[in-house]
Each structure stands twice: as C-alpha cells, then as structure tokens.
Amino acid sequence: MNKLNTFYKERFDRFLPHLTDAKNLKEENVHKLRIDIKNMRSLLFLLDALNIDTVEIGKLLKQLRPVFKYSGRLRTIQVCKKLVLQYNLNHQDDVADILEENLESVSNEFVLALVEFKPDKFQERIEKLYQELEKISIPSLREKADKIILDELDLIYKLWASSSGEEYYHDIRKFLKIIKYLLQLLLVLESSDEIEREYKIIKETESTLGDWHDRDVLDRKLATIQKYAPNPQFKSLVREIKSKNRSEKNIYAKAIKQQMLANFLKY
C-alpha cells in the first residue's frame, strides 16, 4: 500500500466509528463527524480533479451529502446555544431555549440520515477506490494538488480584493479548508519545512474565520429572535446578547484582516 492509500485509509477508517458515536447527538461527537466529512469531501474532490477512472467518487460524495447537511444544521444549533450560555446573563436560558426549539426535528432528520447511511456500501465503495489509488503517480498528484492550491488562492485574492467588508468571509473559509486538507496530504507525501509553514498559516487563518463564522451565524439568529420578541424585557435581553456577540465577532474580523495582510497575502 502506497503513502497515498495509507493517508486515505486512515481518514476513511475512522469515519465509521465517529458515525456510530454521533448517534448520541453529543456536540463533541457531531463535531468530529463534521470534520471527518469535510476532510473526505476535499480529498474526494482532489481525486476527481485527477480524473481517476471510477464512478465511486460521485457515489461516495452523494452518500455523504445527507449526513453532512443535517449534521450541519444540528451543529449550528449546538454552537449558537453554547455561545449564548457563555455570557452569564439573567434569563439567557430563555434565549437558548428558543435557539433549541427546532432541535428535535433537526435531530430526527440527522438520526434518520445516519440510519439510512449503509456503512457496508460505503466500505465497499472505498475498497474500490483504494484499488484506483494504487495506480496514481505521486509526482502527478503533487502537480495537480499544487495547481488546485494556486487556483483556490487566486479565487481568495479576487474575493478579498472585491470587498472591504465581511461578505465573502464564508467563501474564503471554504477555499482555505480545501487548501488545508491538500497541504495535509502533501506533508504526508513529502516532508517539507515550507509546506509545514504554509499549512500552519492556512490553518490559523481558517480557524479564526471559523470563530468569526460562529458569531456571524448567531448574530443572524439573534436578529430574528429580536424581531419576534414577546415583550420589551425579552427584546432588551436579546439586544444585550447580540451586542456582546457582535463585539466578539468584530474582534475576530480584525484578527482575520491582520492575518491576511501579514501572512496570507504574501503567498
């Protein structure tokens, strides 16, 4: 088994245990599952870009889609509730309860996606994929990965240059994730201080964008709750939470700009 196959196998094999663990709906387990899927999706997209002659990539992406979709909805509620409860305000539980009011339906959709996943079929598909990975030339993989990274960087530059605000932060984060996973792969195939440095910069910037994104999602949800607040007191409470959340969001936005200007835009 070559290094590429070993790299993929390690990541695909741990997915199924995490899939089982996530059935208890605990935040930590849902988070691990989301990371696994994001990792696998990026790696599958790379293989697709390499024009591997197999239909298994499309089938795997399609099979992962429902779990990814509903785990995302569940994760959003869990993160927003956690952020609200960190402020230690009187009656903040009332706001958290509203955020959680559709948790049962989202949880049911997520559990149903897990039940319908068919692990045996998944395992069968990745075994076929491993056979194709043995045929891949490492130099051609490196060449394609480098091209994808440069293409993603170009898209990021264009988004960053086209706006002085935060409207494209979410898209930039998605592109950074793709680069991050590709650099992880390259580090396995080739030990390099330069790749390690690039990976660290990308990872730190993407992480800060993730913190900003969590506050941005909560900000929008709080705006909806505030709009339909049942009384002035409750509206005032939501306004206070929203103000604290926006302060944190602005701190992360400032950090993102510093990271982009100091490190990322030097690529």
Side-chain angles (χ1 to χ4, degrees):
M1 181 176 291
N2 60 30
K3 287 184 178 181
L4 178 62
N5 232 330
T6 301
F7 178 83
Y8 272 78
K9 194 173 190 313
E10 286 176 355
R11 282 148 184 80
F12 277 67
D13 283 357
R14 69 189 180 198
F15 167 70
L16 291 179
H18 287 169
L19 188 78
T20 299
D21 292 342
K23 291 180 180 179
N24 62 18
L25 305 181
K26 289 185 178 180
E27 182 179 347
E28 179 182 0
N29 292 334
V30 175
H31 181 51
K32 287 180 180 178
L33 183 66
R34 292 276 298 171
I35 292 175
D36 283 346
I37 297 177
K38 291 175 184 178
N39 200 338
M40 288 189 294
R41 279 162 54 95
S42 292
L43 295 173
L44 287 170
F45 287 137
L46 171 61
L47 295 180
D48 188 51
L50 288 170
N51 298 317
I52 292 181
D53 185 20
T54 177
V55 298
E56 302 308 322
I57 294 173
K59 290 180 178 179
L60 284 166
L61 288 169
K62 183 177 180 180
Q63 187 176 9
L64 290 168
R65 195 173 299 131
V67 178
F68 186 65
K69 175 182 177 181
Y70 293 114
S71 64
R73 292 182 180 180
L74 179 60
R75 177 72 179 152
T76 293
I77 296 173
Q78 292 175 332
V79 170
C80 286
K81 181 181 176 182
K82 182 178 180 179
L83 290 176
V84 167
L85 294 177
Q86 74 178 352
Y87 295 121
N88 296 319
L89 301 173
N90 292 331
H91 307 298
Q92 64 186 16
D93 287 351
D94 295 339
V95 177
D97 289 342
I98 291 179
L99 287 169
E100 197 179 10
E101 64 184 5
N102 63 337
L103 183 62
E104 183 176 354
S105 61
V106 172
S107 297
N108 290 339
E109 291 172 332
F110 174 58
V111 171
L112 180 61
L114 296 182
V115 171
E116 295 179 345
F117 183 77
K118 295 183 174 57
D120 292 342
K121 182 62 67 174
F122 177 81
Q123 194 69 44
E124 178 184 327
R125 287 167 176 159
I126 62 174
E127 289 299 331
K128 292 180 181 178
L129 189 61
Y130 293 152
Q131 296 175 19
E132 297 297 326
L133 295 182
E134 289 291 341
K135 305 173 185 177
I136 295 177
S137 161
I138 299 303
S140 66
L141 172 66
R142 174 63 194 268
E143 181 181 354
K144 193 65 179 183
D146 285 343
K147 184 180 184 306
I148 293 174
I149 290 172
L150 290 175
D151 288 345
E152 300 302 301
L153 286 172
D154 186 54
L155 290 171
I156 291 171
Y157 295 152
K158 290 177 180 177
L159 289 176
W160 185 263
S162 66
S163 174
S164 59
E166 304 170 6
E167 58 185 304
Y168 295 122
Y169 278 13
H170 181 61
D171 291 327
I172 290 173
R173 184 188 178 208
K174 288 192 294 184
F175 295 139
L176 285 176
K177 283 182 179 181
I178 294 174
I179 297 173
K180 181 179 73 173
Y181 293 132
L182 292 179
L183 289 175
Q184 283 180 340
L185 173 59
L186 293 180
L187 280 172
V188 171
L189 301 178
E190 175 188 347
S191 177
S192 166
D193 291 340
E194 181 181 357
I195 296 176
E196 185 70 47
R197 180 185 64 81
E198 292 173 352
Y199 173 72
K200 182 179 180 181
I201 292 172
I202 295 294
K203 182 179 179 181
E204 289 177 350
T205 307
E206 188 271 323
S207 178
T208 306
L209 277 163
D211 289 327
W212 171 88
H213 178 260
D214 289 344
R215 274 75 185 175
D216 184 58
V217 171
L218 177 58
D219 190 35
R220 286 183 271 118
K221 287 190 175 295
L222 288 173
T224 301
I225 293 174
Q226 187 178 21
K227 183 177 179 181
Y228 297 102
N231 55 63
Q233 292 79 14
F234 190 84
K235 181 171 290 190
S236 176
L237 171 63
V238 176
R239 189 184 300 114
E240 184 175 4
I241 296 175
K242 189 176 180 181
S243 176
K244 291 180 178 295
N245 181 64
R246 282 195 171 180
S247 294
E248 292 184 351
K249 179 183 169 184
N250 290 336
I251 290 172
Y252 285 115
K254 182 178 180 180
I256 290 166
K257 292 178 181 178
Q258 291 174 340
Q259 288 173 314
M260 293 288 287
L261 295 173
N263 299 309
F264 183 72
L265 297 180
K266 291 182 179 181
Y267 276 75

